[in-house]
Amino acid sequence: VTAGAAFGSNAVTDIGGDLIFTAGSATNAAGGAVMVTSGYSASTSSGDVAVATASAGAVGNSGEMILTTGKTTVGSSGSASINTGVATQGNSGGAYVTTGDTFYGLTGNIELTTGAATTGDAGDIKLSVGRGDMNNGGDVVTVAGETTAAGMVGGQVSITAGAGTSTD
């Protein structure tokens, strides 16, 4: 499936066509799902699923990639999960979050933030490493950025507990 190309000379209005995939809605039961699954192989590797924005032209930004679950009024909003598969005899796949390099600008931040809670508890951020049943457990390593620029300082590692009014 390919959307239409734009060949006009207007840099504002001559934009390429969109691809929009929307599952069916429902009045009383759950709405339909959108699933993208790569092909299975009985004897070798399964296929890849690649989702990417295209590179920008000479002037401009590349597109954003947004993964968002829907809002809810009474129930819980959906989870967003990135999981790699279980490996029986090989290694399980890694999960990576990396910002791009830059020459003149600033590299992007990586932020892990839980939402604010008005009447309930705010959510936790947990970093957990797997157990090794017959080998070593994994490490947790936190390293601040270094600099080679004269007169500049390297990054800091800061851990600050939240303020509270209880002594528990």
Side-chain angles (χ1 to χ4, degrees):
V1 175
T2 303
F7 298 106
S9 59
N10 187 310
V12 176
T13 60
D14 293 330
I15 58 176
D18 295 330
L19 288 178
I20 300 173
F21 299 96
T22 305
S25 61
T27 302
N28 293 314
V34 175
M35 301 177 70
V36 178
T37 305
S38 68
Y40 165 80
S41 171
S43 59
T44 185
S45 303
S46 64
D48 296 332
V49 173
V51 178
T53 65
S55 298
V59 177
N61 302 321
S62 64
E64 293 184 354
M65 187 165 295
I66 301 169
L67 175 65
T68 306
T69 65
K71 297 178 183 179
T72 180
T73 302
V74 177
S76 300
S77 63
S79 298
S81 301
I82 299 176
N83 302 310
T84 63
V86 173
T88 303
Q89 294 187 12
N91 299 325
S92 67
Y96 306 96
V97 177
T98 306
T99 64
D101 296 334
T102 182
F103 189 75
Y104 287 113
L106 303 172
T107 61
N109 296 331
I110 295 176
E111 299 183 14
L112 301 176
T113 306
T114 65
T118 302
T119 59
D121 293 340
D124 298 328
I125 294 178
K126 299 179 181 180
L127 299 177
S128 300
V129 179
R131 180 185 73 228
D133 287 334
M134 299 183 68
N135 246 319
N136 300 320
D139 298 327
V140 174
V141 179
T142 304
V143 179
E146 63 177 329
T147 182
T148 57
M152 297 290 126
V153 296
Q156 298 179 354
V157 175
S158 301
I159 299 176
T160 305
T165 57
S166 174
T167 57
D168 291 344

